[in-house]
Amino acid sequence: MLSFTILAITFGVVFLAELPDKTALAGLMLGTRYKASYVFVGVAAAFALHVALAIAAGSVLTLLPHRLLQAIVGVLFLAGAAVLLFKKDDDEEDVAAPADQSFWKVSGAGFMLILVAEFGDLTQIMTANLAARYDSPLSVGLGAVLALWAVAGLGILGGRTLMKYVPLKLITKVAACLMAALAGFSLFEAIAG
């Protein structure tokens, strides 16, 4: 069953956590060199695969006893908030881009870049946590995919403009605060039962 509230929460948390990520910058770099739609197709496919894996992992976590699950989810959210607050600001990474402009080469480069760079990334772990917390895989999956696609689209088409108006540190702090709040709710549920 689809819950628009869970979808919106997931979208907001994943969007804010992914926005300052290095893969948004890598998408921006590919988007400035190659046809944006080709890059987006590859990036979007890789993000969809990552969300599917995260939802599967989150669904397995729901088999644990409820209080233990809430404690694990709370600690993981708290760790995610700490990672966002204390991570070093990375500059743009080198992106291996294809020599020709064909659809398959460009979208394949975008797919492989995201597939490798995002495996085990914070947003994938957050998506698994949200899937475990809310036990609504469709809502969490759709929210996460839409958030990741939105960030990819922003990165590919307008990342430089966005960063001129919204400081990266502010985005990171808002995402960390949201994750800390989710950690608090999960830990409270684990303790209160």
Side-chain angles (χ1 to χ4, degrees):
M1 176 174 236
L2 184 65
S3 166
F4 288 105
T5 303
I6 294 171
L7 188 150
I9 289 168
T10 302
F11 181 92
V13 169
V14 172
F15 181 86
L16 288 172
E18 186 65 24
L19 197 56
D21 196 60
K22 63 190 174 296
T23 52
L25 296 173
L28 171 71
M29 290 174 57
L30 284 173
T32 59
R33 296 183 196 170
Y34 302 101
K35 189 171 182 178
S37 60
Y38 291 4
V39 174
F40 184 77
V41 167
V43 168
F47 275 134
L49 178 59
H50 277 287
V51 168
L53 292 172
I55 295 298
S59 296
V60 169
L61 286 175
T62 62
L63 300 175
L64 296 173
H66 181 71
R67 291 179 90 171
L68 177 61
L69 173 63
Q70 291 305 322
I72 291 170
V73 168
V75 168
L76 289 174
F77 273 131
L78 199 56
V83 167
L84 283 176
L85 286 174
F86 301 115
K87 78 175 185 172
K88 296 179 183 175
D89 293 331
D90 294 330
D91 293 328
E92 295 178 10
E93 291 186 343
D94 292 330
V95 177
D100 69 42
Q101 299 275 330
S102 75
F103 170 79
W104 293 109
K105 295 277 184 177
V106 173
S107 62
F111 179 84
M112 290 307 295
L113 173 71
I114 298 302
L115 187 67
V116 172
E118 288 292 308
F119 200 81
D121 191 59
L122 178 63
T123 52
Q124 190 178 33
I125 294 167
M126 285 173 39
T127 301
N129 287 343
L130 289 164
R133 173 166 176 54
Y134 291 114
D135 196 23
S136 181
L138 178 61
S139 304
V140 171
L142 191 55
V145 164
L146 291 174
L148 293 168
W149 288 356
V151 170
L154 285 172
I156 292 167
L157 297 176
R160 290 182 189 172
T161 304
L162 177 68
M163 294 303 168
K164 286 180 185 175
Y165 298 108
V166 181
L168 188 59
K169 287 185 178 184
L170 175 64
I171 294 167
T172 302
K173 286 182 182 181
V174 169
C177 288
L178 284 172
M179 289 182 68
L182 286 170
F185 290 130
S186 295
L187 292 172
F188 175 77
E189 286 183 4
I191 294 167

